[in-house]
Amino acid sequence: MRVYDNLNPMQQEAVFHTEGPVLVLAGAGSGKTRVLTHRAVYLIEEKGVNPWHVMAITFTNKAAGEMRERIDKLVGYGSESVWVSTFHSTCVRILRRYIDRLGYGTNFTIYDADDQKVLMKDICKRLNIDTKVYKEKSFLGVISSAKDELVSPEEFTLRAAGDFAREKQAAVYREYQAELRKNNALDFDDLIVKTVELFQSDAEVLENYQERFRYIMVDEYQDTNTAQFYLIKLLAGKYRNLCVVGDDDQSIYKFRGANIKNILNFEEIYPDARVIKLEQNYRSTGNILSAANLVIANNVGRKAKELWTENEEGEKIDFGQYENGYEEAEHIVGDIQKKVREGRYQYGDCAILYRTNAQSRLFEEKFVVSNIPYRIVGGVNFYARKEIKDLLAYLKTIDNGMDDLAVRRIINVPKRGIGAATLNRVQAYAEEQGLSFYNALRMAEEIPSIGKASIKIRAFVNFIQTMRSKVEFLDVSQLLQEIIEETGYVAELEAEGSDEARARIENIDELISKVVAYEESEETPTLGGFLEEVALVADIDSLQEGSDYVVLMTLHSAKGLEFPNVYLAGMEDGIFPSYMTIISDDPSDIEEERRLCYVGITRAMKDLSITCAKQRMIRGETQYNKVSRFVKEIPRNLLGGMVRQQETRAEAQEPSGQSFRQTASKVKPVFSTRNAYQPKAYKSNSFASSSTDKITLEYTNGDRVRHMKFGEGTVTQIVEGGRDFEVTVDFDRVGTKKMFASFAKLKKV
């Protein structure tokens, strides 16, 4: 019996069709890795191809390692000559040999993220750029995106003409690239870009590698960016024996530069390409696949295909809508306990998937209280995240200046220019005098050799003392808001503008929700009481380590994984899909979110539960959302029996014309009104204002206004609603849009 006989007919076709371009559309759970490895074996053993001429390329070291292991096992002798590698490793090997032809030394250095930050900081200083306004990370993000699209500093400069912000970015890009060359260094994006540049400028080198790689296989092709596309196109240009494997329905990394057009337009680039669809799924039950198929079918930008399985039909998808996020978390944790107790699953068989990292907090707290082992994959436990630890350290310092660890953590957050040498002198003085570190800071003027640094220390001490004086008449939530406002913590993240920064803002919003929830649950809430409660659920290191634990992760992190029992949590419009996606004028944004939902559904093998909440606390406010549109795309006959009753009850309670949240009059305020003092609200990416004061408008019906994304338009209607206004604007470029005034930030023209 040959190794190919255990493949299904479509898998065999993908293995046996070796000549010319091939597009293998491999649906979720359809065995694409088996196809790639068996194809390598077939080329060598049946077609007589020298292993030296076979290349398999993918994205991660883990995927490359697994592929290498399988090929070695199947091929045996000679398998070590097959080139199995990631994109970046491939390019490093090529550049180490030939980059001198581009004017670099072959002993070039590869800069990691920290090296890039140090270099960018130096460049901003040299160009007199205010990094409080223009963040180093934002420049690095722009440069990375440009390199993904093979846009050189010179081309970027031409495109930026007339746009002040883009011209500043162009200047930084030029200087950054010049410094890299001067230092004989490349960043990770350069590894791809410079290899493409080498192939385009040196026909001899290109032909050398075209001869070497006569049969090329690319895994996860839907995740390639433009630079990677050209790299592969150049390598396969001579023999054209290119096999790309991927699934356009699982293209979810647009924010990282992935270009879905690479897979959608493959047949335009290679008109003679053979297209093979792997639609038999070996992972999930029939009901789960039916739900996935019907959701993704609503996308326009996709290749037509439909997963099917010989597995049993299985249980219906359990759908539950709960009163709030706490009940949702309680139900999911209770359901896991029940299934483990009944022997249906172990903890390690269960996974909770959600759209944003901030959603993990409620589940973590429930798991800690219930003594259930869990692990966050692809992220950090909520209370261990930097921004949460920073803000809690401020609260700890205000509550108890004896906590030296907390004080040292925040003395330079945000940066105050207090150097390590100064802090060491303070520490030495504290030990000499038997003082806490904070009390030594209060006496900074008396410490020898501190000098002018004492002025900076005094500013920090004054801030802490001021906050301490307000503890008696401020709620904890008000205190936290004032810390955020006065330190500019969120303002710095907003200025950075990266995906990471937005995620950190969401985590801060969730911390505020935690504080407000604590205040609502206690008769006499105090700062000390809150910190004590947090300490009880934040001791994540005490959890037992082992292989049997519930997995928590974002949907993006879940790609490529599978679990017998999966929970998709927070399935509400405004959460998933996000509000920003819903109001976007780019239809591809909602399609990307739907693909993410499809990925989530297809992670489940046997049981899938979908949950949502009628109301959820976001940044300390109660927000009312409808059931996610993606859930409504699943026919009721595939959902659990309780869904009809729940939907009927929910629709009866929902007022007509309700948007993604209830009218402002029904929303609980962020802060208690027990105290007259109200802190300033900080800006956020959330669409609800955190201020309890009613906003005022500088425009009225008929006025011309400008939106930062949609451009200029005319106000056609303003509807008052409690603390906010719903404004309708007829934009010149994108048509009519409705939006909340506090979020839209319209400027009168």
Side-chain angles (χ1 to χ4, degrees):
M1 180 178 175
R2 299 186 310 168
V3 293
Y4 321 108
D5 293 338
N6 61 358
L7 301 175
N8 68 42
M10 299 309 292
Q11 290 175 329
Q12 287 181 345
E13 183 181 350
V15 168
F16 299 155
H17 189 85
T18 59
E19 308 305 307
V22 182
L23 169 60
V24 180
L25 292 171
S30 62
K32 68 179 178 65
T33 306
R34 290 182 78 202
V35 167
L36 286 167
T37 52
H38 281 72
R39 199 170 194 274
V41 176
Y42 183 78
L43 283 167
I44 296 165
E45 294 188 349
E46 304 293 332
K47 300 289 289 186
V49 176
N50 188 323
W52 174 264
H53 293 313
V54 179
M55 176 191 215
I57 192 164
T58 187
F59 280 86
T60 66
N61 290 321
K62 180 184 177 185
E66 289 175 357
M67 202 180 302
R68 162 61 68 193
E69 188 177 335
R70 291 200 198 186
I71 289 175
D72 288 348
K73 187 176 180 180
L74 289 169
V75 173
Y77 180 75
S79 67
E80 68 279 358
S81 296
V82 177
W83 186 301
V84 182
S85 181
T86 65
F87 276 97
H88 289 98
S89 295
T90 293
C91 291
V92 169
R93 289 172 68 179
I94 294 170
L95 293 173
R96 287 290 182 207
R97 187 171 181 185
Y98 289 112
I99 198 173
D100 57 330
R101 302 194 180 197
L102 295 178
Y104 287 80
T106 54
N107 62 337
F108 60 85
T109 302
I110 301 172
Y111 276 11
D112 62 16
D114 288 336
D115 296 328
Q116 289 178 274
K117 288 176 192 173
V118 171
L119 176 58
M120 184 56 70
K121 183 178 180 181
D122 183 56
I123 288 169
C124 288
K125 186 176 181 181
R126 193 181 313 160
L127 296 180
N128 294 316
I129 291 172
D130 185 353
T131 52
K132 291 182 179 178
V133 179
Y134 302 97
K135 291 296 175 183
E136 293 102 323
K137 276 190 178 181
S138 66
F139 284 124
L140 289 169
V142 167
I143 292 170
S144 179
S145 296
K147 290 182 179 181
D148 284 347
E149 295 298 318
L150 292 177
V151 177
S152 67
E154 294 73 27
E155 185 178 348
F156 192 98
T157 301
L158 289 173
R159 294 183 184 183
D163 184 324
F164 177 77
R166 299 289 283 176
E167 286 178 344
K168 190 176 289 291
Q169 292 167 353
V172 171
Y173 187 8
R174 291 194 304 271
E175 189 71 16
Y176 174 79
Q177 214 56 31
E179 282 297 305
L180 284 175
R181 178 177 278 272
K182 189 179 83 172
N183 297 340
N184 194 37
L186 305 179
D187 62 22
F188 275 92
D189 296 314
D190 280 331
L191 296 176
I192 311 291
V193 172
K194 292 301 175 185
T195 307
V196 172
E197 186 180 327
L198 175 66
F199 287 162
Q200 289 175 331
S201 62
D202 197 311
E204 181 187 358
V205 173
L206 176 59
E207 185 175 8
N208 177 32
Y209 283 102
Q210 286 176 337
E211 284 294 330
R212 167 78 193 268
F213 304 129
R214 298 186 184 186
Y215 292 87
I216 300 172
M217 297 179 290
V218 185
D219 190 19
E220 302 286 8
Y221 190 66
Q222 77 281 349
D223 293 335
T224 54
N225 59 34
T226 300
Q228 290 159 340
F229 163 77
Y230 277 103
L231 175 71
I232 295 300
K233 186 170 182 286
L234 287 164
L235 280 173
K238 184 172 183 178
Y239 290 98
R240 303 180 78 253
N241 297 323
L242 172 63
C243 174
V244 301
V245 181
D247 183 7
D248 52 303
D249 289 335
Q250 296 187 73
S251 178
I252 59 173
Y253 296 124
K254 180 181 176 182
F255 67 97
R256 291 184 189 167
N259 188 348
I260 193 174
K261 291 181 181 178
N262 292 347
I263 193 167
L264 292 179
N265 297 343
F266 188 80
E267 295 147 277
E268 292 181 20
I269 306 299
Y270 301 98
D272 58 334
R274 172 75 68 88
V275 179
I276 301 167
K277 298 179 182 180
L278 305 184
E279 297 173 292
Q280 182 175 358
N281 176 284
Y282 294 92
R283 175 189 299 158
S284 305
T285 63
N287 278 331
I288 290 170
L289 289 185
S290 294
N293 286 331
L294 290 163
V295 168
I296 202 63
N298 290 279
N299 270 8
V300 175
R302 66 184 293 262
K303 301 277 190 182
K305 57 186 171 298
E306 188 167 329
L307 296 180
W308 61 277
T309 185
E310 292 180 349
N311 295 340
E312 61 184 0
E313 188 177 75
E315 297 291 329
K316 291 192 175 186
I317 297 165
D318 183 32
F319 173 75
Q321 185 182 31
Y322 301 92
E323 286 299 321
N324 52 53
Y326 298 96
E327 287 190 12
E328 178 191 41
E330 197 169 62
H331 163 79
I332 290 176
V333 173
D335 193 57
I336 291 172
Q337 282 180 309
K338 180 173 180 287
K339 288 174 178 174
V340 170
R341 190 168 56 246
E342 293 173 349
R344 292 171 59 188
Y345 294 117
Q346 294 183 316
Y347 289 125
D349 297 325
C350 305
I352 302 174
L353 311 181
Y354 35 77
R355 181 63 183 86
T356 64
N357 276 309
Q359 291 172 253
S360 72
R361 198 260 305 174
L362 289 176
F363 298 108
E364 289 184 71
E365 293 187 358
K366 291 290 182 186
F367 283 134
V368 171
V369 171
S370 303
N371 200 29
I372 293 176
Y374 73 93
R375 177 172 293 178
I376 293 183
V377 176
V380 180
N381 290 287
F382 183 80
Y383 290 106
R385 291 167 188 161
K386 179 185 182 303
E387 58 278 6
I388 303 304
K389 293 185 78 170
D390 286 347
L391 292 174
L392 287 177
Y394 266 107
L395 292 175
K396 288 176 183 177
T397 300
I398 292 165
D399 183 60
N400 170 26
M402 303 297 289
D403 188 340
D404 287 0
L405 198 63
V407 179
R408 289 189 70 104
R409 180 180 185 89
I410 59 167
I411 192 165
N412 271 315
V413 177
K415 295 172 185 174
R416 296 185 172 90
I418 304 172
T422 298
L423 295 178
N424 289 337
R425 290 189 187 104
V426 174
Q427 183 66 51
Y429 182 80
E431 292 171 359
E432 181 184 310
Q433 300 295 323
L435 301 171
S436 69
F437 186 75
Y438 179 73
N439 282 334
L441 290 173
R442 295 179 67 183
M443 303 173 67
E445 288 87 351
E446 299 178 20
I447 301 175
S449 305
I450 290 290
K452 292 182 179 178
S454 63
I455 299 172
K456 298 172 183 177
I457 292 173
R458 174 54 55 191
F460 170 75
V461 169
N462 287 344
F463 173 69
I464 297 299
Q465 292 301 111
T466 301
M467 291 295 103
R468 282 183 171 180
S469 69
K470 296 180 178 181
V471 168
E472 291 185 15
F473 61 91
L474 284 187
D475 291 340
V476 182
S477 53
Q478 292 173 315
L479 194 68
L480 179 57
Q481 284 276 17
E482 181 136 336
I483 290 168
I484 292 168
E485 170 69 18
E486 295 301 325
T487 60
Y489 201 105
V490 167
E492 277 200 11
L493 293 173
E494 287 183 320
E496 184 180 310
S498 65
D499 290 316
E500 179 188 347
R502 281 187 283 273
R504 290 174 65 188
I505 291 172
E506 288 169 352
N507 292 334
I508 293 169
D509 290 346
E510 185 62 24
L511 178 63
I512 295 171
S513 293
K514 168 65 181 177
V515 174
V516 173
Y518 162 75
E519 290 173 342
E520 291 178 348
S521 66
E522 294 289 325
E523 258 187 57
T524 55
T526 64
L527 175 58
F530 170 72
L531 292 171
E532 183 178 310
E533 179 171 305
V534 166
L536 294 175
V537 296
D539 189 15
I540 55 174
D541 293 331
S542 66
L543 291 172
Q544 291 183 350
E545 290 294 325
S547 58
D548 189 27
Y549 44 75
V550 180
V551 170
L552 288 81
M553 67 176 76
T554 64
L555 286 150
H556 280 103
S557 298
K559 186 171 174 289
L561 303 176
E562 58 184 36
F563 303 92
N565 184 38
V566 169
Y567 300 86
L568 292 185
M571 294 294 289
E572 304 138 34
D573 269 353
I575 304 292
F576 186 35
S578 68
Y579 179 76
M580 291 301 292
T581 301
I582 291 169
I583 67 168
S584 172
D585 58 341
D586 184 353
S588 69
D589 289 344
I590 200 75
E591 295 212 346
E592 174 115 349
E593 289 281 282
R594 187 176 283 109
R595 291 194 292 270
L596 190 57
C597 180
Y598 172 83
V599 166
I601 293 172
T602 54
R603 297 313 93 195
M605 299 167 69
K606 293 183 178 180
D607 282 305
L608 173 64
S609 298
I610 295 176
T611 62
C612 62
K614 294 178 184 176
Q615 60 184 49
R616 188 178 298 276
M617 192 176 287
I618 305 291
R619 211 177 75 212
E621 287 194 341
T622 301
Q623 181 175 305
Y624 297 77
N625 291 331
K626 293 180 180 179
V627 175
S628 170
R629 62 196 62 199
F630 301 147
V631 177
K632 293 179 179 178
E633 291 168 355
I634 302 174
R636 294 186 179 191
N637 66 299
L638 295 178
L639 299 173
M642 62 186 286
V643 67
R644 287 186 180 84
Q645 299 170 6
Q646 286 187 325
E647 287 190 345
T648 301
R649 189 161 61 246
E651 287 167 3
Q653 292 175 350
E654 188 177 89
S656 60
Q658 182 183 19
S659 61
F660 305 116
R661 56 176 281 184
Q662 291 273 28
T663 54
S665 60
K666 294 190 178 182
V667 179
K668 293 178 182 177
V670 184
F671 304 116
S672 165
T673 55
R674 288 179 295 155
N675 301 311
Y677 180 85
Q678 293 292 331
K680 293 178 282 185
Y682 71 90
K683 295 181 289 183
S684 170
N685 287 348
S686 300
F687 61 91
S689 169
S690 65
S691 172
T692 55
D693 297 330
K694 180 177 175 180
I695 68 168
T696 57
L697 303 180
E698 64 175 19
Y699 49 83
T700 185
N701 278 336
D703 282 349
R704 294 283 292 173
V705 293
R706 181 183 292 109
H707 185 275
M708 62 184 297
K709 181 174 183 180
F710 302 141
E712 292 189 7
T714 304
V715 178
T716 58
Q717 186 180 26
I718 299 176
V719 179
E720 187 174 351
R723 289 183 287 118
D724 209 341
F725 297 87
E726 185 179 74
V727 183
T728 303
V729 181
D730 184 11
F731 288 102
D732 301 340
R733 183 167 54 86
V734 299
T736 301
K737 300 281 184 184
K738 284 187 178 182
M739 57 199 78
F740 289 109
S742 60
F743 179 79
K745 296 181 174 60
L746 298 168
K747 298 293 184 184
K748 187 175 179 180
V749 179

